[in-house]
Amino acid sequence: MHCQAAITDGNGNHAIQSITIDDPRGDEVLVQIKAAGICHTDWDSQSWAKPLVMGHEGAGIVVKTGPTVNALKEGDAVMLNWAIPCYICFQCQEGNQHICERNSAVTAGNKVSQGHATFSSTQYNDQPIERSFGLGTMSEYALVREAACVIIQVDMPFPSAAIVGCGVMTGYGSVVNAAKVKAGSSVVVLGTGGVGLNVIQGARIAGAGKIIAVDVNPDRLEMARFYGATDTVLADKADRNLLEAAGQVKTMTQGRGADYAFECTAIPALGAAPLAMVRNAGVAVQVSGIEQEISIDMNLFEWDKVYINPLYGQCRPQIDFPILQQLYAKGDLLLDQMVTRTYALTDLPQAFADMHAGRNAKGVIVF
């Protein structure tokens, strides 16, 4: 079949082009994409030096299934997950499905990963093309592995479902799965973009007593209060390593520092900043995925501080996504409100511009 998709050349450009998708084989599923989230990673993917079908957040309807698909049928509404577990490798058996040794686009690579649907089954200009993170959701249709799909079991619009599979899971899971934030504790969140807002939501749901949001943008701090921040710190762009902001955080936390600090800015220079925000024996969490080499003053670890770098909120999709759906149905997890603007696929340049300007909590492409 033919459909329209956002294709990047890997050299910083993208265009809406026609692709061809074969019928599913084996445990593959063809999903009609109804909504696709817009993430900084999608912007970055334009510069990965290879052609890709863009997009790694999405939700839609199953339209065809391969002969060995077991848990899905045509007509099922699904949300997609890019950390696709195999369930049998060492890490999956350890409970670390998000870093599956066979299927993860992050740990095993994209095209070479067994989590990617048959490479030759998606073609652009008569040549096979990869799907970003094994999904490629900025497309009218996506061919994915069955393990990439989680059935939507509650009444949830597709734009809200689409954003679960990256920023929502990353933020919530970093709080609940990775840091294991305790009720009544104090939490500081550095950066209140889409991921940071979901860290704030996760902390609220976990019962944190004080949730301090730190940002340079006062409008983002207003958003943070809506999602659960109890206090805010408007940081100065000239505040090197956020040390002045850390002083304010300590003042708010009996002079000790917070119990937990989450870095959500993706700014390498702030990679060590959460260590300055937490008390002795506190927990600092690198949420935003900084991969550059940075320098850390080891004095920041004094004393007994822990710094963790979880991927994707340590997601176990078939366990965590249903939990998130139930939290949404109860009204605890705010998703509809987070989708502050929707776009057509052809409006992707404007969507990226709005994202960089911080205009949206989350922008979503709707098909």
Side-chain angles (χ1 to χ4, degrees):
M1 66 175 298
H2 297 276
C3 68
Q4 296 294 299
I7 305 294
T8 176
D9 61 6
N11 296 314
N13 308 297
H14 81 266
I16 309 305
Q17 302 286 346
S18 178
I19 61 173
T20 303
I21 305 176
D22 292 344
D23 285 341
R25 309 176 191 181
D27 67 346
E28 295 171 351
V29 177
L30 182 65
V31 177
Q32 182 182 12
I33 301 296
K34 292 294 187 179
I38 301 159
C39 175
H40 283 273
T41 301
D42 300 318
W43 169 263
D44 293 341
S45 74
Q46 296 176 106
S47 301
W48 288 352
K50 59 183 177 181
L52 284 171
V53 180
M54 297 172 64
H56 68 291
E57 302 178 2
I61 299 171
V62 174
V63 293
K64 288 184 181 180
T65 60
T68 64
V69 170
N70 295 314
L72 299 171
K73 64 182 184 303
E74 294 180 15
D76 281 342
V78 293
M79 50 178 60
L80 298 181
N81 159 66
W82 58 260
I84 303 164
C86 74
Y87 301 110
I88 59 175
C89 74
F90 171 82
Q91 291 290 2
C92 282
Q93 289 290 306
E94 286 287 304
N96 301 322
Q97 296 176 12
H98 60 297
I99 48 175
C100 173
E101 294 176 331
R102 298 185 179 195
N103 288 359
S104 171
V106 174
T107 60
N110 196 18
K111 178 176 64 178
V112 297
S113 157
Q114 296 180 48
H116 198 290
T118 306
F119 180 48
S120 60
S121 290
T122 303
Q123 298 207 351
Y124 169 60
N125 287 340
D126 298 322
Q127 296 294 321
I129 185 170
E130 292 181 53
R131 290 185 171 276
S132 181
F133 284 79
L135 299 180
T137 56
M138 292 183 181
S139 174
E140 293 174 316
Y141 291 84
L143 186 69
V144 302
R145 299 286 300 278
E146 180 181 15
C149 301
V150 177
I151 293 175
I152 301 173
Q153 300 172 330
V154 302
D155 185 12
M156 178 185 292
F158 284 114
S160 298
I163 66 174
V164 169
C166 189
V168 174
M169 182 65 235
T170 297
Y172 171 88
S174 294
V175 172
V176 175
N177 293 341
K180 297 179 173 59
V181 166
K182 296 178 182 178
S185 61
S186 57
V187 169
V188 60
V189 182
L190 313 183
T192 56
V195 171
L197 293 177
N198 282 292
V199 168
I200 289 168
Q201 289 209 84
R204 171 175 49 78
I205 291 168
K210 182 180 287 290
I211 304 171
I212 306 167
V214 180
D215 207 302
V216 296
N217 185 335
D219 294 334
R220 302 297 303 190
L221 291 176
E222 283 302 311
M223 285 190 193
R225 285 193 177 276
F226 178 78
Y227 288 98
T230 60
D231 300 87
T232 60
V233 173
L234 180 62
D236 189 327
K237 292 181 180 179
D239 181 7
R240 183 176 174 81
N241 299 322
L242 290 181
L243 294 181
E244 291 181 13
Q248 295 183 59
V249 168
K250 287 184 178 180
T251 299
M252 296 175 177
T253 53
Q254 294 77 49
R256 295 189 190 94
D259 299 314
Y260 307 88
F262 297 84
E263 191 289 311
C264 306
T265 70
I267 299 171
L270 297 179
L275 284 166
M277 303 279 181
V278 293
R279 59 168 171 80
N280 291 342
V283 177
V285 187
Q286 164 53 234
V287 182
S288 66
I290 293 172
E291 294 179 322
Q292 293 85 349
E293 182 176 339
I294 64 173
S295 296
I296 295 181
D297 179 354
M298 290 303 292
N299 288 304
L300 291 173
F301 278 99
E302 295 175 346
W303 293 106
D304 293 278
K305 296 179 183 179
V306 175
Y307 190 4
I308 58 176
N309 185 25
L311 176 67
Y312 195 28
Q314 299 182 345
C315 176
R316 303 153 300 167
Q318 298 296 342
I319 296 172
D320 291 315
F321 281 21
I323 291 172
L324 292 172
Q325 290 180 31
Q326 292 302 318
L327 289 170
Y328 168 83
K330 286 177 58 183
D332 292 337
L333 184 69
L334 307 178
L335 298 181
D336 298 347
Q337 301 89 333
M338 188 161 283
V339 181
T340 45
R341 186 171 173 183
T342 59
Y343 305 84
L345 182 62
T346 52
D347 292 331
L348 186 54
Q350 182 62 53
F352 280 144
D354 290 344
M355 178 187 71
H356 288 305
R359 297 187 185 105
N360 295 324
K362 193 70 177 179
V364 175
I365 293 170
V366 175
F367 293 88

